[in-house]
Amino acid sequence: MIQLDKLRNKYFGLRHAESTANEAAIIISDPQTGQDVKYGLTEKGKQQTKDSANAWVKSIESNRPSSGKIRLISSNFSRAKETAEIFKSVAEEHGIQGVSLEVTAELRERFFGTFEGQSNAHYESVWVEDQTLGEEHNAFKVESINQVLDRIISFVANVEKEGGNGGDWIILVSHGDCLQITQTFFKNTAGRAHRSLPHWANAEIKELN
C-alpha cells in the first residue's frame, strides 16, 4: 500500500469537459465504446477546457514546480484524451515548456454494467448501492469501488516507482466516478463515501495531495 505522506510527486485530478454523452444524458463507460471519437467533447466542452487551463496556469504563475515536470496522464477514453490535449496546448501557449501527455487505460471510466448506453439517471441507482452494499458490490454488473481503487492505486504506485528525483506535478485526466473514488484514497476515506466528498465539475482541476 502506498503511504500518502511519502509520495514523491504532487497529484491533481482533472475531470474531462462536457462530452457528447453528457449532452445526450447517456452513460458511456464500456472500455471500447468510450474510445470512439463520436463520444469526444462538445464545442462547449472544448471551451470549458480552455477556460479551465487558462485559470489554472494563471493560478500557478508564482508556484510552478522548481525542478520536476508537469505530466498530463489521461484516460484512454476520447473525452478525456481531448481534454488533456487541449489543456496541454493552452499550457504551452502560456510558455510552460516540457508538458508531457501520456495515455493509459487505468484511468478509464468506471464501468456501469447493464446501464451502458442508458440514461445517466441510473447513476443514482449505483450510488445508492455503493453506500448500502459497500466497496465490493457488483450490482447491475458494475465495476466495484474496490476494483476502481485497485487499478488507480496500482497506477499511482508505478508512477511513484519511476526513476528521477520526484517532484513532478502529475495531472490525472479522468472521469467523475473514477476521480470521486480516487479522492477517497487521497483523503484516507472509505470508498463507499465517495459521493459525500466535493464533486468534480466538467473540466475542473483539483489538488489531490
Side-chain angles (χ1 to χ4, degrees):
M1 176 64 90
I2 305 170
Q3 292 181 277
L4 292 172
D5 61 347
K6 296 189 182 303
L7 290 174
R8 301 188 311 125
N9 301 295
K10 184 174 183 63
Y11 291 85
F12 299 80
L14 170 60
R15 185 185 173 197
H16 67 80
E18 184 188 74
S19 68
T20 58
N22 291 148
E23 186 178 53
I26 59 173
I27 295 173
I28 298 297
S29 64
D30 178 82
Q32 294 303 315
T33 307
Q35 296 181 65
D36 193 320
V37 293
K38 72 180 180 181
Y39 294 118
L41 300 184
T42 62
E43 289 303 314
K44 177 182 176 181
K46 293 173 184 177
Q47 188 59 51
Q48 286 175 333
T49 308
K50 292 175 183 176
D51 292 344
S52 175
N54 278 314
W56 185 74
V57 169
K58 185 176 180 180
S59 75
I60 65 165
E61 281 180 352
S62 60
N63 186 35
R64 294 183 188 177
S66 56
S67 57
K69 306 181 291 291
I70 295 178
R71 299 171 58 188
L72 284 155
I73 308 180
S74 174
S75 155
N76 63 344
F77 277 34
S78 292
R79 56 190 185 260
K81 283 200 303 180
E82 281 190 50
T83 300
E85 289 164 357
I86 295 170
F87 202 95
K88 178 178 185 291
S89 177
V90 171
E92 290 172 341
E93 288 171 5
H94 281 274
I96 299 180
Q97 301 301 317
V99 180
S100 63
L101 173 56
E102 306 157 52
V103 176
T104 176
E106 299 307 303
L107 297 180
R108 67 188 181 276
E109 176 63 291
R110 180 186 189 183
F111 180 55
F112 281 90
T114 58
F115 294 135
E116 177 68 14
Q118 298 187 38
S119 166
N120 61 13
H122 291 296
Y123 285 136
E124 288 291 344
S125 300
V126 176
W127 297 334
V128 167
E129 300 302 342
D130 285 348
Q131 292 181 322
T132 58
L133 298 180
E135 290 82 3
E136 296 288 349
H137 91 84
N138 297 107
F140 316 111
K141 299 183 179 179
V142 302
E143 187 177 14
S144 74
I145 291 169
N146 276 352
Q147 286 174 314
V148 176
L149 271 174
D150 285 348
R151 60 178 163 90
I152 296 298
I153 292 172
S154 176
F155 179 76
V156 171
N158 286 333
V159 171
E160 288 293 301
K161 289 176 185 175
E162 292 174 1
N165 299 318
D168 291 347
W169 283 17
I170 313 291
I171 303 174
L172 305 177
V173 188
S174 191
H175 307 262
D177 256 47
C178 192
L179 287 171
Q180 290 294 136
I181 293 170
T182 299
Q183 192 175 197
T184 67
F185 164 66
F186 279 93
K187 289 185 176 295
N188 199 26
T189 300
R192 69 180 63 193
H194 68 94
R195 295 303 298 174
S196 69
L197 298 176
H199 299 172
W200 255 270
N202 285 123
E204 183 177 11
I205 183 169
K206 300 181 188 181
E207 292 185 18
L208 287 167
N209 68 321

